[in-house]
Amino acid sequence: MKKTLFLSPPSFEGFDGGAGSRYQAKREITSFWYPTWLAQPAALVPGSKLIDAPPHGITVEDVLKIAKDYELVIMHTSTPSLPNDVECARRMKEQNPDLKVGFIGAHVAVLPEQTLRENPVIDFVCRHEFDYTCLELAQGKPWEEIKGLSWRVPDGTLRRTPDRELIEDWDKMPSVFPVYAENLDITKYFIGYLLHPYISFYTGRGCPAKCTFCLWPQTIGGHKYRAKSPEVVGREMEMAKAIWGSKVREYMFDDDTFTIDRARAVEISKHMKRLKLTWSCNARAHVDYDTLKQLRDNGLRLLLVGFESGNQQILNRIKKGIKLEMAREFMKNCKKLGIKVHGTFIIGLPIETKETVEETIRFAKELDPHTIQVSIAAPYPGTELYDQAIANGWIARDSLVAGSGIQVATLQYETMSAAEIEDAVERMYRQFYFRPGPIARIVAEMLTDRQMFVRRLREGREFFNYLKERKEQVRQRERETKSTPSASQA
């Protein structure tokens, strides 16, 4: 077995896309998801090490000291972080030319040959669902016999093997919890709407939904939900409790849509109640009242739900598969049951206008989830949204994040400019949170939990700084627009 390092490399301050997250940018407050995409293959490779650099403050110099003793380094990358990650790989290869360095992640799954051609320092990339590809690399299996691999031979020629089949038997996949316990400091991971410290993990992959913007089902996981049985998940949660006891205040099931199999979700929730564990999960606004009640009775505290837009036509265009009235009924049921909801919304979806933005802001205030996240529509390669953007000429710029790490508008329409999309994000946050209801909720949390009091003060400072930075980004975009001559002037 080759000595193998799994690495989420150092990035810009606050980078939150190091593997587990869908949001590969700096958030409005300090947030870090667990590096599940790396931890899963690390759990398959005996003796391997996992480094999640961003939340632990690990620098490139720190990584170099560690990597010098390894034979194989597998790095998770993303579209926004690729140049940064390539530079980290270059530094490691410069230090040890015999080191083999390869990349995993959605970007290289979709653009394997392009990534290798443009970045000669990368030895290989693992395409699509890569866990067993990583294992066979660590085992020293000849590369031409490893499915799902693209690589460069010594003369510079690129080679590739056939695609690897998706993993069907998830009960055989080892738990990531021992990898977390050995390699990560759980106190370094924060999510604004989750209790601290928390742990996020997957019990399966794939999502039947066909949302045009969603990255993972279209690039790695596929649209078939393949998952561990409730019995296996129950044993894993017993392991988690044995490792951390009461130190972990909340477990987050980060499966794309954990509630898509309602009977399975209920069975798993029974294990959570048996173990007296508080938990949260991703959900769609389809879950009925009776199922919600069973989950609540078995320890469910919060649901993360993508509402995306308050305009039905936009929801139809992105194939969201929900109706506004359905979302209203869902929120009514959650409030009746006392289930908190973190609602996510996207500004700049096709084809956004100033009027549809206002509809979304009004809709968010009407639903009034406990907390919200407002993102900018991001056309990642491999998604239907990306193909639509290319075909329709909606791409305004190549980068998905600014130098500071915050999201920028890549798309623009005749009905709405990139600067207007960016400005709408800041405006929506202000209009949602600067109301008596949300303010009262925040104050109540602070008064009933000292840890939450200190945390919300910190997050408040970060949030206002984010709004200020977002406003400056809009001003910068407006200056760029004014300085760029129009087609008629050119």
Side-chain angles (χ1 to χ4, degrees):
M1 190 72 67
K2 293 184 180 297
K3 194 172 182 183
T4 306
L5 173 65
F6 290 91
L7 173 64
S8 176
S11 188
F12 52 75
E13 184 179 354
F15 176 68
D16 186 30
S21 171
R22 293 158 182 76
Y23 191 69
Q24 296 154 344
K26 181 179 178 180
R27 291 179 187 259
E28 57 275 10
I29 58 175
T30 298
S31 301
F32 289 111
W33 286 95
Y34 283 77
T36 315
W37 288 110
L38 281 167
Q40 191 62 74
L44 285 167
V45 178
S48 63
K49 183 176 181 59
L50 168 64
I51 293 179
D52 189 14
H56 293 85
I58 296 173
T59 66
V60 173
E61 286 68 30
D62 297 328
V63 169
L64 291 174
K65 292 176 185 176
I66 299 168
K68 64 183 175 61
D69 296 325
Y70 284 82
E71 302 170 84
L72 176 67
V73 175
I74 296 174
M75 300 171 63
H76 186 276
T77 193
S78 66
T79 301
S81 69
L82 181 64
N84 169 85
D85 303 339
V86 168
E87 175 60 18
C88 184
R90 186 193 67 77
R91 294 281 302 276
M92 287 189 290
K93 294 277 287 186
E94 186 178 64
Q95 173 181 265
N96 178 9
D98 294 329
L99 181 68
K100 296 300 181 185
V101 179
F103 281 23
I104 60 174
H107 185 91
V108 299
V110 175
L111 303 171
E113 281 74 28
Q114 178 181 319
T115 304
L116 288 167
R117 280 197 303 270
E118 294 177 354
N119 303 284
V121 72
I122 304 174
D123 294 303
F124 64 88
V125 301
C126 303
R127 304 191 310 273
H128 306 297
E129 202 161 54
F130 45 73
D131 308 83
Y132 286 102
T133 304
C134 294
L135 172 61
E136 292 174 5
L137 283 162
Q139 289 172 332
K141 190 173 181 179
W143 287 11
E144 61 270 15
E145 297 177 15
I146 301 175
K147 287 186 177 181
L149 190 69
S150 296
W151 75 98
R152 180 185 294 99
V153 296
D155 68 3
T157 305
L158 301 184
R159 301 270 180 86
R160 67 180 284 148
T161 54
D163 288 343
R164 182 176 291 274
E165 301 83 2
L166 291 176
I167 300 166
E168 293 294 338
D169 188 355
W170 268 80
D171 280 353
K172 290 183 178 179
M173 292 293 279
S175 172
V176 298
F177 293 150
V179 176
Y180 285 4
E182 183 177 345
N183 296 277
L184 308 177
D185 179 352
I186 65 171
T187 67
K188 301 292 186 182
Y189 293 86
F190 292 88
I191 293 293
Y193 47 87
L194 297 179
L195 302 179
H196 180 74
Y198 83 99
I199 282 178
S200 64
F201 62 107
Y202 297 132
T203 63
R205 287 198 197 126
C207 179
K210 301 295 176 66
C211 305
T212 62
F213 60 86
C214 194
L215 183 61
W216 306 116
Q218 297 184 77
T219 59
I220 293 179
H223 290 290
K224 180 183 177 183
Y225 185 40
R226 300 153 290 119
K228 296 182 178 182
S229 65
E231 295 73 24
V232 168
V233 176
R235 291 197 294 272
E236 284 197 20
M237 299 318 301
E238 291 172 0
M239 179 195 301
K241 189 161 186 178
I243 293 172
W244 291 289
S246 60
K247 292 179 182 177
V248 175
R249 296 182 66 194
E250 182 162 23
Y251 289 89
M252 171 69 183
F253 293 96
D254 201 25
D255 304 39
D256 286 303
T257 309
F258 181 75
T259 57
I260 202 74
D261 185 339
R262 299 177 192 184
R264 174 180 177 271
V266 169
E267 287 305 307
I268 290 174
S269 75
K270 292 176 182 177
H271 288 289
M272 302 303 282
K273 182 178 182 180
R274 172 175 60 85
L275 295 167
K276 299 179 181 178
L277 299 175
T278 299
W279 62 282
S280 300
C281 69
N282 289 310
R284 286 167 65 81
H286 293 100
V287 190
D288 61 276
Y289 179 87
D290 289 340
T291 302
L292 287 171
K293 185 176 185 303
Q294 290 183 77
L295 299 179
R296 190 278 313 268
D297 291 345
N298 289 329
L300 173 67
R301 188 189 71 88
L302 176 142
L303 294 173
L304 193 162
V305 182
F307 297 109
E308 322 309 359
S309 176
N311 178 272
Q312 189 62 57
Q313 285 187 311
I314 287 180
L315 293 177
N316 295 344
R317 285 194 192 101
I318 63 172
K319 302 179 182 178
K320 184 64 185 177
I322 64 170
K323 300 291 184 183
L324 295 176
E325 199 51 48
M326 183 188 300
R328 292 184 175 100
E329 180 69 16
F330 172 84
M331 275 303 306
K332 184 179 78 173
N333 290 337
C334 286
K335 289 184 177 182
K336 184 176 180 180
L337 291 165
I339 299 171
K340 288 184 170 60
V341 173
H342 176 72
T344 64
F345 297 86
I346 301 176
I347 301 294
L349 292 165
I351 298 172
E352 195 82 84
T353 67
K354 294 177 183 179
E355 292 73 24
T356 59
V357 167
E358 293 307 314
E359 287 181 57
T360 297
I361 294 174
R362 288 195 299 270
F363 187 58
K365 291 194 289 187
E366 176 192 347
L367 295 180
D368 198 31
H370 190 72
T371 51
I372 66 167
Q373 174 185 310
V374 187
S375 303
I376 294 173
Y380 282 95
T383 64
E384 186 176 345
L385 176 60
Y386 179 83
D387 294 338
Q388 290 173 338
I390 295 296
N392 290 282
W394 293 335
I395 302 289
R397 63 191 295 171
D398 293 330
S399 58
L400 293 166
V401 298
S404 63
I406 67 169
Q407 265 197 317
V408 294
T410 303
L411 303 177
Q412 67 179 9
Y413 312 103
E414 290 183 5
T415 54
M416 200 167 192
S417 69
E420 289 170 332
I421 290 171
E422 291 172 359
D423 180 62
V425 172
E426 190 248 4
R427 190 169 74 253
M428 182 168 176
Y429 270 128
R430 288 185 181 276
Q431 290 192 30
F432 181 86
Y433 278 114
F434 297 171
R435 297 178 297 136
I439 292 172
R441 290 197 293 265
I442 292 170
V443 171
E445 286 180 333
M446 295 172 70
L447 293 177
T448 56
D449 186 330
R450 175 165 176 74
Q451 185 206 70
M452 190 63 77
F453 180 85
V454 175
R455 181 178 169 188
R456 290 298 187 226
L457 286 178
R458 171 184 59 78
E459 291 174 345
R461 289 193 298 271
E462 292 174 346
F463 182 65
F464 281 106
N465 287 336
Y466 170 84
L467 293 181
K468 181 180 178 181
E469 189 174 3
R470 171 64 64 198
K471 180 64 75 175
E472 179 53 38
Q473 181 65 40
V474 172
R475 293 195 186 103
Q476 176 63 29
R477 177 61 72 97
E478 290 172 342
R479 288 194 291 268
E480 291 174 1
T481 302
K482 290 178 181 177
S483 65
T484 303
S486 64
S488 61
Q489 294 173 317

